[in-house]
Amino acid sequence: MKTLDIRVLGDPILRTETTPVAEVTGELRQLIDDMFTTMYAAEGIGLAAPQVGRTERLAVVDVEGAKYTLINPVIVEREGSARAEEGCLSIPEVFGEVERAHRVTIRALDGDGKPFELTAADLLARCIQHEVDHLHGKLFVDYLSILKRRSALNQWEKQKSNYPGLIRKVVPGEHPKKRSAEHTTTAAGEV
Ligand code: K2U
Ligand code: ZN
């Protein structure tokens, strides 16, 4: 069990389409275990492979004890809609309101490579949608309005230098600093 470094916004891997998993090997099982360890250490409720520098189509979630390994997940049904604030372990201290389906049904393989279907609602549904987006190079900031996205990216630009090599070292129990009060508007690059 080890914590992996988390890639942060600006690393091109976060904008990369992942590759479907063909076989659950011993090495993949170790990656899954390390992803859960990293997610818990970062106090997250989800984590996708690109966030730890890997291109497998794989994510893990644990929402209030509902713990799933999602290999090659596909959302097959979406119902309703709900708006809520989101953050991302790869975009520390940046938050924004995102509208997503209230309930989703997904088909995926579990950690043993066994197919399963899951219907989830509320925070688990949101988390699953957030992670599935990661597997297709999409980030929550992509859903923000132009102005809110610019503000969010400006916020990120101000603290990007805290992550040399666009790497966030995960220290168990580390608490991210409070959101900074001011928002200044300067040009922010596309990421
Ligand atoms: O993929 C990630 O970056 C982990 C995300 C997952 C997530 C984002 C928004 C809404 C639900 C899940 C989070 O940063 S994990 C942090 C967190 C913790 C508790 C509640 C919401 C988000
Ligand atoms: Zn995220």
Side-chain angles (χ1 to χ4, degrees):
M1 286 201 347
K2 66 181 182 197
T3 56
L4 305 172
D5 293 340
I6 292 179
R7 306 297 180 87
V8 297
L9 189 59
D11 187 321
I13 198 165
L14 295 175
R15 291 303 190 179
T16 302
E17 183 70 36
T18 51
T19 303
V21 170
E23 183 192 357
V24 179
T25 62
E27 198 273 337
L28 197 79
R29 289 177 193 273
Q30 183 60 60
L31 173 59
I32 291 167
D33 189 55
D34 293 345
M35 284 175 66
F36 273 113
T37 301
T38 303
M39 179 185 75
Y40 294 130
E43 298 182 358
I45 56 174
L47 190 67
Q51 293 182 278
V52 291
R54 297 289 292 255
T55 57
E56 287 88 345
R57 191 160 298 169
L58 158 65
V60 295
V61 301
D62 184 341
V63 178
E64 295 150 3
K67 181 176 176 182
Y68 295 96
T69 298
L70 306 176
I71 298 174
N72 304 338
V74 177
I75 297 175
V76 295
E77 196 169 340
R78 288 178 167 83
E79 291 171 70
S81 72
R83 284 186 73 79
E85 185 170 74
E86 295 194 11
C88 181
L89 296 177
S90 293
I91 320 176
E93 299 176 58
V94 173
F95 303 89
E97 276 232 330
V98 177
E99 181 154 4
R100 294 194 189 268
H102 167 65
R103 181 180 287 109
V104 294
T105 297
I106 63 161
R107 288 193 188 128
L109 304 180
D110 66 14
D112 294 318
K114 185 164 164 275
F116 73 98
E117 184 171 291
L118 168 69
T119 295
D122 303 321
L123 185 56
L124 180 56
R126 179 168 297 275
C127 184
I128 288 169
Q129 292 171 85
H130 182 109
E131 302 312 328
V132 169
D133 273 352
H134 270 300
L135 301 180
H136 300 287
K138 199 164 175 72
L139 302 171
F140 86 88
V141 292
D142 301 339
Y143 294 95
L144 305 181
S145 69
I146 292 173
L147 281 178
K148 287 184 177 168
R149 178 183 164 108
R150 183 183 298 160
S151 171
L153 296 181
N154 288 339
Q155 178 71 16
W156 170 242
E157 288 301 319
K158 284 187 296 184
Q159 44 146 354
K160 197 169 155 181
S161 59
N162 298 331
Y163 302 93
L166 298 174
I167 293 283
R168 173 183 178 181
K169 292 281 182 195
V170 177
V171 178
E174 173 196 46
H175 296 281
K177 290 193 255 4
K178 291 244 179 301
R179 287 178 72 177
S180 54
E182 84 289 347
H183 284 290
T184 52
T185 50
T186 54
E190 279 301 302
V191 285

